[in-house]
Amino acid sequence: MDNLLNAVTGGHALHAEGLWSACVDLLYRGGALSPGTFALLSAARATGYDGGTLIIMLPSDFHVQWIDSHNKVDILRALELVAGKEVHLRLVAGTHSPPAEPALEPDAAPAANVSFLNDAFTFESFIVGKSNELAHAACATVAKNPGTHYNPLFIYGGTGLGKTHLLHAIGHHLLRHQPGATVRYVSSEDFTNDLVSAIYQNTPHEFRRRYRSLKLLLIDDIHFIARKDGMQEEFFHTFNTLHRKKSQIVITSDRPPHETNLEQRLISRFESGLIADIQPPEFETRAAILYKKAEIMGLSCPPDVMTFISNHASRNVRQIEGCLVRLAAHAALGKRIDLAVARSILADMIQTRPAAVSVEDIIRATAGATGVVPGALTSKRRTNQIARARQVAMYLARTLTNLSTTDIGRYFGGRDHSTVIHACGQVRLLIERDGAVSSLVESLEQQLRV
């Protein structure tokens, strides 16, 4: 454990700020913090460490109450690990930034340059492959020329694929070249909390000033404000103000705009810019990410162990990181890492057996259940019956196998991965709305899993 903590603390004695920084870093590495909460805690200030009590200053009473209710237990555990003894925590409301001018119109004063960026997430540390090259190129373009190209930029993809990394990288690049630019990274959860806090404290003018005078707004997981009318209303006006001023807006989601259940007026604005997706990394990209992460962690593993992880940790980057963290913990105990050990200690994290269901099995079963010939599903024919059966088969292939959407598209006549994504989205909607489709999919899943 001491070796692991040295990676966080640098092996030095900790003062208040160092203790707090190490605590937040340990929580984030362990996956205990959302990106938004990590940004808030990273920006919080440790103002004292006296008599075993660490004093942390947060922006408002609302944030104090939120952290106290949602994160305090995890923070106390991390502090004890970092300090090697019990540490008490006192959260106080205050500010260590110059106070904002009250009651100003949104355009009358610039926002404070509080970016909430993670220093580790830069373009230099991002591994580019076929699965993310369009999103990376688009992000690099808007970082160099904010507000002039691809505005807004909408990036979507599954969890742990690098969307948040790219948002932070854009912010870092802009601040490096325009140090005075006003940049803010925020999750939709934190955007919501900021608005609720402003309403609670009767300071909506401050909220609007803070967000509507930015040069660059980076907002993560926008789909979480779906069906929250007040949040969508506020974001709609924030978006319009920034867009009119040619400020850059970059948004991420786990699905394309038309599948987010957001208001149509927001969807239409998102679709007016560039939409780029990120897919699960293919083998070559997984291997490159793995070696880069291992280098950063100072972990050395035999090539066959690295190949084993690259082959089987196929879901997302966080799964790869999780495998390395577990290996690092094992190595910290002085134990040797070889392929047999890796297979054993990672058995519950990665699928080491090939998928039991093949795409050919899925095509045959779907064709039989829908009354079409199997060859029709891989052909160019687009009758309603064949198109719907093909979409169902694509959905099942995505659900029951470990294949990427690009690989699945190849099985269906060389179709593009975006076609597979659209098909899966359509089937998900039909499962919710159409009992016949829901029953068909459920029946096929049961048949194929036997």
Side-chain angles (χ1 to χ4, degrees):
M1 179 59 73
D2 289 341
N3 290 336
L4 289 174
L5 293 178
N6 282 342
V8 175
T9 66
H12 302 298
L14 296 170
H15 50 78
E17 291 184 1
L19 177 60
W20 177 241
S21 176
C23 167
V24 174
D25 191 31
L26 185 62
L27 285 170
Y28 190 64
R29 290 190 186 197
L33 299 178
S34 69
T37 304
F38 171 73
L40 171 63
L41 294 183
S42 297
R45 181 181 176 188
T47 60
Y49 182 39
D50 184 29
T53 298
L54 182 66
I55 303 169
I56 300 298
M57 182 181 290
L58 293 162
S60 69
D61 288 332
F62 175 84
H63 290 95
V64 168
Q65 294 165 11
W66 177 270
I67 296 301
D68 188 68
S69 299
H70 293 80
N71 304 102
K72 189 172 182 179
V73 172
D74 288 333
I75 290 173
L76 288 172
R77 288 173 180 164
L79 286 171
E80 185 174 351
L81 284 172
V82 171
K85 60 182 179 180
E86 183 179 12
V87 176
H88 300 287
L89 181 68
R90 183 153 69 93
L91 304 174
V92 299
T95 178
H96 48 276
S97 300
E101 293 293 327
L104 294 175
E105 291 299 316
D107 290 347
N113 188 1
V114 181
S115 56
F116 299 124
L117 298 176
N118 184 336
D119 291 342
F121 291 165
T122 65
F123 283 122
E124 290 76 15
S125 62
F126 188 84
I127 302 297
V128 184
K130 292 180 181 178
S131 56
N132 58 29
E133 58 186 353
L134 173 60
H136 174 268
C139 289
T141 297
V142 302
K144 295 173 183 175
N145 302 286
T148 61
H149 295 84
Y150 313 143
N151 197 18
L153 173 59
F154 190 101
I155 305 168
Y156 73 93
T159 184
L161 298 182
K163 302 186 299 297
T164 299
H165 190 140
L166 286 174
L167 287 187
H168 287 256
I170 294 170
H172 282 303
H173 187 279
L174 180 60
L175 288 175
R176 193 180 305 145
H177 293 85
Q178 298 182 34
T182 49
V183 174
R184 180 172 285 260
Y185 163 84
V186 66
S187 69
S188 61
E189 175 189 0
D190 291 322
F191 181 85
T192 299
N193 292 339
D194 277 357
L195 180 57
V196 171
S197 178
I199 294 170
Y200 176 76
Q201 297 179 27
N202 195 29
T203 57
H205 57 278
E206 168 60 22
F207 173 88
R208 289 166 184 152
R209 185 200 66 79
R210 187 162 62 247
Y211 278 96
R212 298 184 188 183
S213 54
L214 294 168
K215 176 66 173 178
L216 172 63
L217 174 60
L218 308 160
I219 186 158
D220 220 349
D221 294 328
I222 193 65
H223 53 278
F224 282 124
I225 69 169
R227 299 190 177 92
K228 297 177 182 175
D229 294 343
M231 303 305 160
Q232 293 188 71
E233 178 76 18
E234 191 63 43
F235 183 73
F236 174 76
H237 293 298
T238 297
F239 181 101
N240 285 345
T241 300
L242 292 175
H243 197 267
R244 184 178 66 249
K245 295 166 62 176
K246 298 190 182 303
S247 297
Q248 181 67 49
I249 306 161
V250 188
I251 303 156
T252 74
S253 175
D254 65 355
R255 65 205 74 167
H258 67 276
E259 293 181 15
T260 56
N261 292 318
L262 292 166
E263 293 177 357
Q264 188 56 45
R265 58 180 178 169
L266 281 175
I267 293 173
S268 66
R269 278 158 177 75
F270 298 160
E271 291 180 338
S272 69
L274 177 67
I275 300 173
D277 71 312
I278 299 181
Q279 293 294 309
E282 67 285 354
F283 173 81
E284 292 80 8
T285 304
R286 292 198 300 271
I289 292 171
L290 185 64
Y291 276 96
K292 181 71 173 181
K293 297 288 183 184
E295 179 185 349
I296 292 172
M297 294 174 64
L299 178 65
S300 178
C301 291
D304 57 349
V305 171
M306 303 295 269
T307 300
F308 168 72
I309 298 173
S310 300
N311 271 323
H312 298 292
S314 58
R315 289 198 301 272
N316 54 51
V317 178
R318 288 180 193 160
Q319 186 189 23
I320 292 172
E321 289 178 329
C323 290
L324 288 176
V325 167
R326 185 171 292 187
L327 291 179
H330 196 78
L333 298 175
K335 297 184 178 181
R336 181 172 175 270
I337 300 296
D338 58 24
L339 182 57
V341 169
R343 285 182 179 275
S344 175
I345 65 178
L346 301 178
D348 63 331
M349 296 184 66
I350 59 180
Q351 175 62 259
T352 58
R353 293 174 297 175
V357 182
S358 70
V359 178
E360 290 85 354
D361 292 335
I362 292 170
I363 289 173
R364 282 193 295 270
T366 305
T370 56
V372 300
V373 297
L377 301 187
T378 59
S379 72
K380 301 298 183 183
R381 296 170 62 189
R382 295 185 178 180
T383 66
N384 288 341
Q385 182 184 13
I386 292 173
R388 180 53 46 78
R390 185 183 294 123
Q391 288 181 334
V392 168
M394 288 179 174
Y395 171 84
L396 291 170
R398 189 70 174 130
T399 303
L400 301 178
T401 76
N402 294 323
L403 295 173
S404 69
T405 52
T406 299
D407 292 333
I408 292 170
R410 294 193 187 104
Y411 280 95
F412 290 88
R415 286 175 165 80
D416 187 80
H417 70 88
S418 61
T419 302
V420 180
I421 294 170
H422 174 73
C424 293
Q426 289 296 107
V427 174
R428 279 195 295 269
L429 290 174
L430 287 170
I431 288 173
E432 295 177 2
R433 302 172 183 175
D434 189 323
V437 174
S438 178
S439 297
L440 171 64
V441 172
E442 183 178 357
S443 173
L444 284 168
E445 284 186 341
Q446 292 176 353
Q447 175 186 339
L448 288 162
R449 288 183 189 276
V450 174

